[in-house]
Amino acid sequence: SFSYGYDVKTYSENDVTYYEPIDAEIKNGVIFYLGTIITPENYQNIATQLATEGYLVAFPENLFSYVIYYISEQETQSILQKFPNVKFFLAGHSQGGGAAIKTCKSMDNIYGAILLSPLIYQEDSIAETNLPVLYFEAQNDKVLSDDMKKEALNCVPEDSEYHYIEGANHMGYSDMTFFFDGECTIGVKNQQDLVAGLILEFMQRVINKNISYQSNGRNFE
């Protein structure tokens, strides 16, 4: 159960939007890469729920994080410089999931990856790593093709924690809609609340194990 109940302040700095728990000793956080042209404000429900429990949530504001990746790198570096003592999970929705995986390959000392109906290409696969991964797929997702979904799932370790959300759609992790998408029959808030709860449980489990994933990357230096 989660009951810290911190108040949360939201602000933007150096092209990053932060959801920061007030008066918390912040040790852990989430760097969240956006779905294409979806703004941080559209993820405020999930972000606020995580921050309320003491996690710093930081959104690099690059709306094309997987395509124009070097901008995300700069924004990620800004986050790490501002909060040098915080250890992060890397999260992403849709193409932001691809950006999260790409960053996992080049950044040391992270807890794991959280992927919300991600778009990942084979060249960025982390399937052969021991990175803890939380992976969501939505039943009514019509934005990603079946081939895209299959390729993305093949890019993560076999022992990833996988959740197939019945009645959910591709955009329902956010407050934005897309006319190609299927219907979110469980309701957008329900989809977000379910996902937020599973993210919190996953993060707490990984932190309790206190296993730090080490990539062979360059740690943005």
Side-chain angles (χ1 to χ4, degrees):
S1 63
F2 309 102
S3 57
Y4 289 108
Y6 290 108
D7 289 331
V8 178
K9 64 177 177 178
T10 306
Y11 60 97
S12 182
E13 188 178 291
N14 294 329
D15 298 318
V16 179
T17 294
Y18 292 97
Y19 287 73
E20 184 177 332
I22 299 171
D23 295 331
E25 182 188 355
I26 303 172
K27 297 178 180 178
N28 309 303
V30 180
I31 299 175
F32 192 112
Y33 300 95
L34 303 166
T36 309
I37 68 167
I38 306 177
T39 62
E41 295 76 30
N42 284 289
Y43 296 101
Q44 66 178 345
N45 182 20
I46 289 176
T48 301
Q49 289 193 51
L50 303 187
T52 296
E53 298 303 328
Y55 293 93
L56 174 72
V57 183
F59 291 91
E61 293 171 4
N62 178 9
L63 303 183
F64 302 96
S65 55
Y66 203 16
V67 181
I68 318 174
Y69 179 67
Y70 69 91
I71 297 177
S72 296
E73 278 192 302
Q74 294 164 7
E75 293 165 345
T76 301
Q77 180 62 41
S78 169
I79 297 164
L80 300 178
Q81 288 173 348
K82 182 174 173 62
F83 292 95
N85 299 318
V86 173
K87 189 167 164 183
F88 288 98
F89 292 86
L90 302 183
H93 173 214
S94 196
Q95 59 113 27
I101 289 302
K102 206 176 179 76
T103 307
C104 285
K105 297 177 70 176
S106 61
M107 183 172 159
D108 283 330
N109 198 29
I110 57 174
Y111 277 126
I114 299 162
L115 306 172
L116 284 57
S117 294
L119 175 65
I120 312 170
Y121 296 118
Q122 196 59 50
E123 61 266 23
D124 293 319
S125 173
I126 57 163
E128 303 305 316
T129 72
N130 62 347
L131 183 74
V133 173
L134 176 64
Y135 191 107
F136 294 97
E137 186 175 332
Q139 179 185 26
N140 299 332
D141 182 346
K142 302 297 185 196
V143 175
L144 301 181
S145 68
D146 289 344
D147 286 345
M148 289 174 177
K149 294 173 190 175
K150 185 175 180 181
E151 179 170 13
L153 197 53
N154 285 336
C155 290
V156 298
E158 283 188 10
D159 64 352
S160 298
E161 181 180 324
Y162 173 85
H163 293 277
Y164 180 81
I165 311 177
E166 294 189 5
N169 69 356
H170 185 80
M171 299 298 286
Y173 307 98
S174 74
D175 292 334
M176 275 187 74
T177 58
F178 187 61
F179 60 91
F180 283 130
D181 200 7
E183 188 181 351
C184 181
T185 57
I186 61 171
V188 167
K189 185 176 186 305
N190 287 337
Q191 179 172 338
Q192 294 170 3
D193 289 350
L194 175 66
V195 167
L198 289 168
I199 290 173
L200 286 166
E201 290 173 6
F202 170 78
M203 292 195 298
Q204 198 56 60
R205 210 160 43 243
V206 172
I207 290 166
N208 287 346
K209 287 182 179 176
N210 201 25
I211 298 169
S212 175
Y213 172 75
Q214 299 289 334
S215 77
N216 295 315
R218 63 193 188 288
N219 201 24
F220 291 109
E221 290 175 357

